[in-house]
Amino acid sequence: YGWLSGLLLRSTVRHGFPYQPSALAFDPVQKILAIGTQTGALRLFGRPGVECYCQHDSGAAVIQLQFLINEGALVSALADDTLHLWNLRQKRPAILHSLKFNRERITFCHLPFQSKWLYVGTERGNIHIVNVESFTLSGYVIMWNKAIELSSKSHPGPIVHISDNPMDEGKLLIGFESGTVVLWDLKSKKADYRYTHDEAIHSVAWHHEGKQFICSHSDGTLTIWNVKSPTKPFQTITPHGKQLKDGKKPEPCKPILKVEYKTTRAGEPFIILSGGLSYDTVGRRPCLTVMHGKSTAVLEMDYSIVDFLTLCETPYPNDFQEPYAVVVLLEKDLVLIDLAQNGYPIFENPYPLTIHESPVTCCEYFADCPVDLIPALYSVGARQKRQGYSKKEWPISGGNWGLITQMTPYCANYLLFFSLVTLQVLYKLKTAKVFEKSRNKDDRPNTDIVDEDPYAIQIISWCPESRMLCIAGVSAHVIIYRFSKQEVTTEIIPMLEVRLLYEINDMESPDGEQVPPLPTPGTGSNPQSIVPQSHPSTSSSSSDGLRDNVPCLKVKNSPLKQSPGYQIELVIQLVWVSGEPPQQITSLAVNSAYGLVVFGNCNGIAMVDYLQKTVLLNLGTIELYGSNDPYRREPRSPRKSRQPSGGTTVPEDRCKSPTSVLKTGPKGNMIEEEYRTDNRKVVNIYFILKKKTKPKNHMVLNTLKPCILPLFLINTDLFSDVKDNSFSRSRSSSVTSIDKESREAISALHFGETFTRKNDTSPSPCLWVGTTLGTVLVIVLNLPPGGEQRLLQPVIVSPSGTILRLKGAILRMAFLDTTGSLVPPAHEPWREHNVPEDKDEKDKSKKRRPVSVSPSSSQEISENQYAVICSEKQAKVISLPSQNCIYKQNITETSFVLRGDIVSLSNSICLACFCANGHIMTFSAYTFRSYPDSRERSMCGTGP
């Protein structure tokens, strides 16, 4: 492994809603929408799948956007008083010209249809005119004092509106913030009319005939003016004001921030406005008001309205506008309202702007998926159309798009599937619908282990070839799904409850109280059988009154109708054990060829046969080592070994030091243990906690029951060892910071067909297990024949004795063949399970072998495969079956790897690592040849 050099990395897709949107524009001919943001970003949207991202170098906020309609160009005005002309006719939009205002602040811009003159209003009340073709100032300036003359004795304020008369482009309507409006004649360079109002102006809009205009004011009123009658408004409207008796003026309302005036041939005009609500509507959501004839519709929005535009059939301002939709830019959403249908329904947004209704908690990327997968997901996803939307096509339909080749799932408390490069939503899966929803406080889920959404997804494992999907949630639950094109009704949801716990031995506190140990699962060789959903576990407390055998969530006990798409195969839940809540799941893997799912946490590991609905393996992390435990753990009192549920015998615990000495603290609330090992003196101090409390030191304990916890772990080599074990990968919020080192969590799982022992001559199915202490263990899987025998005979699980070690928690594992190609896990091809098989298909299934990649028989058996293992601190390449480490790469010394993966890049394999310091590090994997005794030998090694 070596550094990849010469790689040019750039963003290909920018997904999500524009952060802090601030401006909106629309080209009614090209049907392209532009959104500007407070961070200087520019997003262009066309038909679904057409999307472009640009960025102003200065990062200043975009205050206004103006399209050069049907010319493939756009003008942006920024808060740093610069204007930019963008060329949109090229593959990647770029700035052609820029113009900086040094003495005045830009407040408003106007570009008339098919005009080469851009009018720029400023904070001082002046208007400058820019030639768009040369992007230079023309020299024509409309000064504020000449515009208002003697109509006002004070400064009228900044320019808030500029527009030309629809019937005469030589007449310019200028709106000042103070309430003054001026109709300016560009040819004679003087004002024709001046209109004065007591309330401040926020926006102005023309009637298409050019004889009237409407203004919105800060007191929630609208004033309609006849152009030739400047003395007083033709009409004053308070859309949301309470009409008082005796002809008194309505009570003032909130400011109307924007108004648009659109006409139709067949009926009354539309007056559309934002704001203007009564001040007594406390807590009411932001609203868009549509006034049409005698009807007034108030449309509530989920977020604050940033801007809105009315989409019309014609771009010409002097014709009947015929509005058909309203684009509403919200603080965190984009909404399109259909004006042509009764009730004004919204259009279903095809853009993946908001991929979730709650925060994203997990995401996975999958490349080189089967060619039939995206059409299959799109087919079932297209049936998920929600009701109540407009029946018309999405009106923003400009641009063209290319082929879709890859896909990505994202998930929060549900799953969304996206296709790249357009990131189009393909399918959405709600995982919470399998559980009962709490209706009151007493029925809340037993989610003491989390403060967040109890249904949130933490990990997903997906096999694109078989379409098997598995998710792990924060409430220590796992759900397995199958993909089906048929709708089914599940009468009883299959469910398993698993007791997975960390071994804590019996200890007696100094005051003579017996600290209760955590019980172990039942012994015996029979796998745990499925819990009938019609009789769920109801045991809520053990003999000592502690909560026991209770899952965090309650599965529905009524029939569940499942639509085409992903359907529930099995629900697995970890349960409370003697008052201890189940720990959150830290790793997960599913394999369709073996019919197995495995998951682990800081307590141990569990393996489930989802075909037979049985638990095959349920072991504490320490028990995985057997007699080969390389770590010196805290001394514990001897106890008898137990027979794990999977049938594997584990020897007695050997961690107790025979030379340890126990000392009791002065107040009987502390135990000091001292022993020597490897010429080192080790002192462990345990704090006895009898109730939920916070010690007076700086450590916070989350424990909910009496127990003994390590308070300090001190040894003479502390400072030389601490840097290798200073980062814990456990996600569990129940594990206290004080005993993380004592709880070794399962951090990585990988199914494969490889060599499990040094003397193996052929690969076999197995599971590789990685832990937070940097250990990799290998478990051998003995699978029965396929077909009906697979459902009748048990899967035999046994440890191999193989143990590998790295610095830091194990994050990812993969296998390469001798050519350096990635060896994928075995998998089953997808088939429809809800359609009865005919005789030929049954015969084929009996003979079907899992699809896997095996090394060529011509390769030397001694070097058949390579295991690539990545931890938080380093990566190793292990030769199999010899288990020799042929290369080691220390990834980081000052930080740690948050996520790593072995991926295919530019027709080669590489290790990509994302570090906590924000760096992305990529290491190449390739083979080189040495020639000892004129013999060639391929192996992974370092290089440029």
Side-chain angles (χ1 to χ4, degrees), residues 114-184:
Q114 296 180 333
S115 173
K116 66 177 182 179
W117 302 110
L118 174 68
Y119 301 94
V120 182
T122 69
E123 193 175 42
R124 292 185 181 180
N126 304 322
I127 295 179
H128 301 266
I129 302 178
V130 177
N131 186 309
V132 175
E133 295 175 351
S134 62
F135 223 65
T136 57
L137 291 171
S138 67
Y140 191 131
V141 181
I142 303 174
M143 304 301 292
W144 69 270
N145 53 353
K146 189 172 183 181
I148 66 169
E149 286 188 345
L150 301 177
S151 63
S152 175
K153 296 182 180 180
S154 60
H155 191 281
I159 300 291
V160 296
H161 178 82
I162 307 172
S163 63
D164 58 304
N165 188 309
M167 291 297 183
D168 187 354
E169 62 181 18
K171 305 290 185 179
L172 205 64
L173 196 66
I174 306 169
F176 295 90
E177 186 182 60
S178 63
T180 300
V181 178
V182 176
L183 186 64
W184 182 266

Side-chain angles (χ1 to χ4, degrees), residues 682-695:
V682 180
V683 179
N684 294 337
I685 300 178
Y686 295 86
F687 180 79
I688 301 175
L689 187 66
K690 299 182 181 180
K691 61 181 179 179
K692 185 175 181 181
T693 183
K694 293 183 179 179

Side-chain angles (χ1 to χ4, degrees), residues 242-250:
K242 294 181 180 179
Q243 299 297 328
L244 303 178
K245 297 179 180 180
D246 303 328
K248 292 183 179 179
K249 187 178 179 180

Side-chain angles (χ1 to χ4, degrees), residues 298 649 675:
V298 181
T649 302
Y675 64 95

Side-chain angles (χ1 to χ4, degrees), residues 283-444:
R284 189 169 184 177
R285 294 189 293 180
C287 296
L288 186 81
T289 303
V290 180
M291 303 173 66
H292 185 214
K294 295 181 179 180
S295 68
T296 299
V298 181
L299 310 177
E300 290 190 343
M301 303 292 160
D302 291 333
Y303 306 102
S304 299
I305 297 175
V306 177
D307 197 1
F308 73 89
L309 291 173
T310 306
L311 308 188
C312 301
E313 296 289 351
T314 177
Y316 295 95
N318 58 358
D319 195 3
F320 286 98
Q321 301 300 290
E322 302 296 344
Y324 61 88
V326 181
V327 182
V328 187
L329 178 64
L330 304 179
E331 189 178 33
K332 296 181 181 179
D333 201 359
L334 182 70
V335 175
L336 257 75
I337 300 168
D338 188 349
L339 294 177
Q341 293 188 32
N342 293 332
Y344 304 129
I346 65 173
F347 291 87
E348 185 169 14
N349 196 328
Y351 305 136
L353 295 179
T354 51
I355 62 175
H356 50 82
E357 298 167 5
S358 57
V360 173
T361 55
C362 172
C363 62
E364 292 287 343
Y365 172 73
F366 296 86
D368 302 323
C369 296
V371 293
D372 61 342
L373 182 61
I374 290 177
L377 288 172
Y378 183 83
S379 176
V380 296
R383 307 180 199 178
Q384 295 180 317
K385 298 286 185 182
R386 292 176 287 176
Q387 302 297 319
Y389 287 94
S390 171
K391 298 179 181 179
K392 294 184 178 180
E393 294 293 327
W394 182 253
I396 303 170
S397 55
N400 295 303
W401 51 275
L403 297 176
I404 299 172
T405 57
Q406 296 171 312
M407 74 176 314
T408 287
Y410 281 71
C411 56
N413 63 349
Y414 54 87
L415 289 179
L416 288 166
F417 291 82
F418 290 86
S419 63
L420 287 179
V421 177
T422 61
L423 280 177
Q424 179 184 358
V425 177
L426 295 176
Y427 177 73
K428 176 179 176 179
L429 173 64
K430 281 275 191 181
T431 63
K433 65 181 181 180
V434 68
F435 300 109
E436 297 282 1
K437 295 294 180 67
S438 57
R439 298 182 180 179
N440 52 59
K441 295 182 179 180
D442 295 334
D443 294 334
R444 283 182 180 176

Side-chain angles (χ1 to χ4, degrees), residues 781-905:
L781 307 175
N782 191 348
L783 302 169
E788 294 180 359
Q789 293 299 312
R790 174 62 184 85
L791 301 177
L792 299 175
Q793 298 183 21
V795 176
I796 306 301
V797 181
S798 60
S800 67
T802 297
I803 297 180
L804 307 172
R805 296 181 65 184
L806 280 78
K807 288 169 56 179
I810 305 299
L811 300 179
R812 188 72 69 164
M813 298 170 283
F815 302 108
L816 308 179
D817 62 17
T818 51
T819 66
S821 300
L822 200 62
V823 180
H827 59 266
E828 282 279 345
W830 176 80
R831 62 186 179 88
E832 180 59 70
H833 281 259
N834 291 328
V835 175
E837 291 182 324
D838 55 28
K839 185 176 183 299
D840 293 338
E841 285 295 326
K842 286 186 177 181
D843 293 338
K844 289 180 182 179
S845 65
K846 291 179 181 179
K847 300 176 182 178
R848 185 183 293 123
R849 298 283 299 173
V851 179
S852 62
V853 179
S854 300
S856 171
S857 58
S858 63
Q859 302 290 345
E860 295 181 17
I861 293 179
S862 61
E863 300 293 349
N864 260 332
Q865 285 184 351
Y866 301 103
V868 182
I869 307 172
C870 176
S871 75
E872 290 178 324
K873 307 294 286 185
Q874 64 180 195
K876 284 186 179 182
V877 180
I878 308 295
S879 175
L880 300 176
S882 65
Q883 299 182 9
N884 293 326
C885 178
I886 61 173
Y887 186 69
K888 179 175 68 174
Q889 173 71 50
N890 290 321
I891 300 173
T892 176
E893 293 293 339
T894 59
S895 183
F896 62 97
V897 180
L898 288 171
R899 180 148 183 170
D901 201 0
I902 295 89
V903 297
S904 177
L905 183 65

